[in-house]
Amino acid sequence: MGSLDTPFPECPQSNFKPLDPEEFRKQAHQTVDFIADYYKNIENYPVLSRVKPGHLLNRLPTTFPQDPEPLEEIFKDIQNTIIPSMTNWLSPNFFAYFPATVSTAGFLGEMLCTSFNSVGFNWLASPAATELESIVMDWLANLLNLPESFKFSGTGGGVIQGTTSEAILCTVVAARDQALEKVGRENIAKLVVYGSDQTHSTFGKACRIAGILPSNIRSIETSFDTEFSLDPVRVMHAMQADIASGLVPLYLCATVGTTSSTAVDPVNDLADVAERFGVWVHVDAAYAGSACICPEFRQYLHGVERADSVSMSPHKWLLTYLDCCCLWVKNPVLLVRGLSIDPEYLKNKPSESKSVVDYKDWQVGVGRRFRSLRLWLVLRNYGAGKLQAHIRSDVQMAKAFEALVDGDPRFEIVVPRQFALVCFRLNPAGRVDSVDELNRKLLDSVNSTGRLYMTHTVVGGVYLLRFAVGSTLTEMRHVDAAWELIKEKAGVLLGGI
């Protein structure tokens, strides 16, 4: 064993400066040039990575170097090894999951966020980070026409979380603690939460983390009859049955724009049911909430004023880069009560005066980034008009793709389009083998080309293909090219039909 008396090895005088402003300027310019070239050439890369598991492990050293390596050499490895191992989410031919959108303003905001490296856990740690976030959350609430009860200018407030998972977890915790004050903490095993079989899988995960028994997480069946939206009558029956069994209905998650098919749950009607049983209502508008900045889509948030919380993710469709999920709550006190910490080393006069927001008490973690800078730059740099035009353009391209599918008798639209996702499948007349298997083959055939990337889902027992328009760089020519490829591969599968 060593000893405290053992001398440390002598270190030569070091000139290492990890943040030299002029060297930073030089290397940052090189990096921006590299990124700009990546964006410029991205549609030439395969959308879906073609590498096999272990690709990087077999090509990169297992240990890092003792001596520095030039940035130019590192960029060569990124170009030749890292990029071929990526699924290129920013490709204009990415039509798979809901997009993770980007923009010049969003990138600049991220640069500023990273450069300041602010750790704004409470107001005193970074007054600008706290107050800008509160301002921006009210700005976006106004753009969405949310009621005053969700704004700092009213009686509520908003916070930027990382993802919808975190937003749901925080609100489940708030609802849980409020309920346990009434029924007793020893009865946590009686609490029940409700969603549909189309609710995002993160709902169940967040509820389990919050201590809800897996057996008490209800996934209520949806159907073609309601276009896969949640039926309030079924929710009411489920809650009545649970109460009859001695359980306590706690939380209902309504979705505006489900992942599989962008179904919209009837928020107002569900609020009627929830109000009857004293249940917390959360509206998950992660994807489609962005569309609601356009007046013609705002109808899908009808009834949101009756919810307890609502969240949407600007990183999906409002050009802000990952990660940015906006959560508004009507009663911030309940959120703070369930998530607050107050160690001695964080105590300070502004916090103790209760006159400021300490965002550490609105989230799971303590540390937090200056994410509001990104959203602030996007909102200021583009304004409502350009953001609305961006949403409408994507919807128009999806509508055009839907018309192309609908015009080909070999294909069918499975679920009516509402936003920028088209759910369709190949279903030629007279085909005797499995339609599901036919569409699996079509999807594999299309994706294996590297020229575009789609995904599938299953709703109502039907296997279908999802074509999600929304990548920042996508233009109508990419949609047209995608359809030509889909038709070509379908023709091969059908033997020229």
Side-chain angles (χ1 to χ4, degrees), residues 73-91:
E73 290 300 312
I74 298 172
F75 279 150
K76 284 181 182 177
D77 278 344
I78 295 174
Q79 184 68 52
N80 298 327
T81 307
I82 301 298
I83 290 179
S85 302
M86 291 172 52
T87 292
N88 291 290
W89 279 68
L90 302 185
S91 170

Side-chain angles (χ1 to χ4, degrees), residues 339-484:
L339 298 168
S340 66
I341 55 170
D342 191 30
E344 186 63 36
Y345 51 80
L346 292 183
K347 290 181 178 179
N348 60 85
K349 288 182 179 179
S351 295
E352 291 170 2
S353 73
K354 305 298 182 183
S355 62
V356 298
V357 173
D358 285 344
Y359 273 125
K360 67 178 175 58
D361 299 329
W362 293 53
Q363 62 176 31
V364 174
V366 176
R368 60 199 329 272
R369 303 177 70 232
F370 201 166
R371 284 183 292 220
S372 58
L373 267 174
R374 265 182 291 150
L375 188 53
W376 186 59
L377 258 74
V378 168
L379 294 177
R380 286 195 63 185
N381 206 215
Y382 301 135
K386 284 192 174 181
L387 292 173
Q388 289 167 341
H390 157 69
I391 295 291
R392 288 167 177 150
S393 173
D394 287 346
V395 172
Q396 284 302 314
M397 285 190 284
K399 187 176 181 179
F401 181 82
E402 180 185 39
L404 292 170
V405 174
D406 203 36
D408 190 320
R410 301 173 301 173
F411 290 85
E412 65 179 354
I413 301 295
V414 180
V415 183
R417 179 200 53 78
Q418 298 192 90
F419 302 100
L421 173 71
V422 180
C423 296
F424 72 107
R425 67 173 179 167
L426 178 61
N427 190 14
R431 190 77 184 187
V432 294
D433 54 351
S434 169
V435 174
D436 286 358
E437 184 60 27
L438 187 63
N439 281 276
R440 288 190 186 94
K441 290 178 179 178
L442 176 60
L443 184 64
D444 288 343
S445 179
V446 167
N447 286 343
S448 66
T449 67
R451 290 158 57 188
L452 69 85
Y453 180 32
M454 296 188 302
T455 53
H456 79 281
T457 191
V458 176
V459 293
V462 174
Y463 181 101
L464 59 84
L465 307 181
R466 299 171 71 259
F467 189 87
V469 179
S471 179
T472 305
L473 299 171
T474 299
E475 299 173 4
M476 192 61 215
R477 64 184 176 89
H478 300 108
V479 173
D480 287 336
W483 175 240
E484 290 301 319

Side-chain angles (χ1 to χ4, degrees), residues 165-196:
S165 310
E166 296 167 52
I168 291 176
L169 175 57
C170 290
T171 52
V172 170
V173 167
R176 178 200 68 191
D177 286 2
Q178 181 186 34
L180 292 179
E181 287 182 2
K182 299 175 182 178
V183 303
R185 292 197 167 272
E186 69 278 7
N187 289 311
I188 188 172
K190 294 183 177 181
L191 301 180
V192 187
V193 298
Y194 305 83
S196 82

